[in-house]
Amino acid sequence: MSETLQELLEKSNRTLILDGPLGTELTRRGFDVDRPGWSARALVENLELVLQIHLDYVAAGANLLTANTFRTHAVNLKEWNPAQNARELTSIAVELARQAAGNACLVCGSVSPLGDSYRPQTSLSEDWLIEQHEKMLDDLTSAGVDILLVETQTTFRELKVILRLIEKYSTPTMLSVVSFDGMHLLDGTPLPDIAELVSCSKIVALGCNCVPVEIVNTVLNSLKDNQLPKIVYANSGYQNAEGTWIQSLGANLDEHTELAKSWIQQGVRILGGCCGTEVPLIAKFAEKFSENSV
């Protein structure tokens, strides 16, 4: 794609379509992600499947394609493949996304939190966070991603580290956080505090992912004082206290799409799908929203 993210966002009537989850699609197509390494294992065991999922999202109408780098931090590889070079694996992931994207999409590099996304670790040392995230950001920018997608962020402490680090990179960066109630991060930080912090950073879009559709409007209201374009990619459901996945309105294509219309009216310019959603949702979003806002 010849246009940059900033140029695309400057088109005030354009809703950009982000792809959907890779882990969900890997599982749906028979690849076992319930192992150490999660979706990153597919970069070693089944490259063709990763490429095909990317291609399916491109065919569905995605404008932004996310490389499979959610679990390619060096520290994550130690659990299952310590001999694997993190930079090499990250480069492979970006190259697969680039191959699928062609001239149709921009490629995002996923920057995940360190540790379990749903059980935020607040005791990790700041020096260690800096070391791990700086390596990841270096690997992604060296691989040539068009966008850094800092996603599924759950703690104010880790978020502040990442925001400081991205200051030295010229790559456009989007930030997406996780909330349990639409008003707070998982560590309890009020979302308006995030909106204020991000106002002084190089972030070009702000929003949420990995949340049930039912709380997205509340998230957007919590972030309303920040004037950046908003990004939302929600789940098909939620995980209850026992760890069981419960389907919600997000699992229904029509309901999810109707809710997305209200999000766009609240300033969402980048729209995709997260856990439990599938390629048809992205196709529906592209059909309904890719040309004009609602």
Side-chain angles (χ1 to χ4, degrees):
M1 182 178 287
S2 59
E3 294 175 289
T4 66
L5 176 62
Q6 293 95 320
E7 289 169 339
L8 291 171
L9 288 172
E10 286 170 3
K11 297 180 178 180
S12 60
N13 67 334
R14 181 80 181 271
T15 301
L16 301 178
I17 306 301
L18 180 67
D19 58 4
L22 199 133
T24 296
E25 285 296 327
L26 285 169
T27 300
R28 191 174 70 81
R29 301 176 197 214
F31 187 88
D32 181 12
V33 300
D34 192 20
R35 298 176 285 168
W38 195 54
S39 60
R41 295 187 77 107
L43 295 169
V44 175
E45 299 176 13
N46 200 332
L47 288 174
E48 295 80 7
L49 183 56
V50 175
L51 177 60
Q52 187 58 56
I53 292 169
H54 286 323
L55 288 168
D56 289 348
Y57 281 128
V58 174
N63 308 119
L64 308 177
L65 206 58
T66 309
N68 183 20
T69 59
F70 192 88
R71 277 290 176 261
T72 62
H73 278 90
V75 65
N76 293 320
L77 298 182
K78 290 179 180 179
E79 296 180 346
W80 64 280
N81 194 357
Q84 177 68 59
N85 181 279
R87 173 165 287 209
E88 178 185 2
L89 200 63
T90 298
S91 179
I92 290 170
V94 173
E95 178 54 35
L96 285 174
R98 181 73 65 195
Q99 184 179 338
N103 294 320
C105 301
L106 295 175
V107 172
C108 305
S110 171
V111 182
S112 69
L114 297 169
D116 190 317
S117 300
Y118 289 105
R119 297 177 179 84
Q121 299 181 45
T122 57
S123 61
L124 301 174
S125 80
E126 185 169 309
D127 287 345
W128 188 80
L129 288 171
I130 291 170
E131 177 187 4
Q132 295 300 319
H133 281 301
E134 190 165 36
K135 286 179 182 177
M136 186 61 174
L137 293 168
D138 283 344
D139 289 350
L140 286 169
T141 53
S142 295
V145 296
D146 300 305
I147 303 162
L148 292 168
L149 176 55
V150 180
E151 62 176 344
T152 325
Q153 295 298 313
T154 60
T155 71
F156 193 68
R157 187 164 179 266
E158 188 166 5
L159 180 54
K160 285 194 296 183
V161 166
I162 297 172
L163 290 182
R164 289 203 306 270
L165 289 173
I166 65 170
E167 291 298 317
K168 77 172 190 176
Y169 302 94
S170 60
T171 308
T173 304
M174 305 189 296
L175 170 63
S176 185
V177 302
V178 181
S179 174
F180 61 89
D181 60 358
M183 296 178 287
H184 302 83
L185 288 181
L186 296 194
D187 70 352
T189 302
L191 291 187
D193 290 0
I194 303 299
E196 183 177 353
L197 176 69
V198 169
S199 296
C200 303
S201 75
K202 293 175 66 174
I203 298 293
V204 300
L206 170 66
C208 64
N209 74 293
C210 215
V211 298
V213 297
E214 288 82 358
I215 71 167
V216 171
N217 282 326
T218 307
V219 171
L220 293 172
N221 186 61
S222 297
L223 298 174
K224 67 182 179 181
D225 289 340
N226 184 291
Q227 300 305 306
L228 286 173
K230 298 303 185 290
I231 175 172
V232 167
Y233 45 120
N235 293 343
S236 69
Y238 62 94
Q239 194 174 66
N240 67 15
E242 290 72 42
T244 302
W245 186 258
I246 307 297
Q247 296 281 51
S248 72
L249 289 179
N252 182 292
L253 288 183
D254 292 333
E255 295 278 7
H256 202 141
T257 303
E258 191 62 26
L259 287 166
K261 185 186 296 185
S262 72
W263 306 337
I264 292 171
Q265 291 169 342
Q266 293 187 72
V268 169
R269 298 287 310 286
I270 302 157
L271 180 66
C274 203
C275 299
T277 65
E278 298 179 1
V279 172
L281 178 68
I282 304 308
K284 186 112 177 173
F285 284 169
E287 175 191 356
K288 296 289 185 181
F289 305 127
S290 63
E291 292 304 320
N292 297 289
S293 59
V294 294

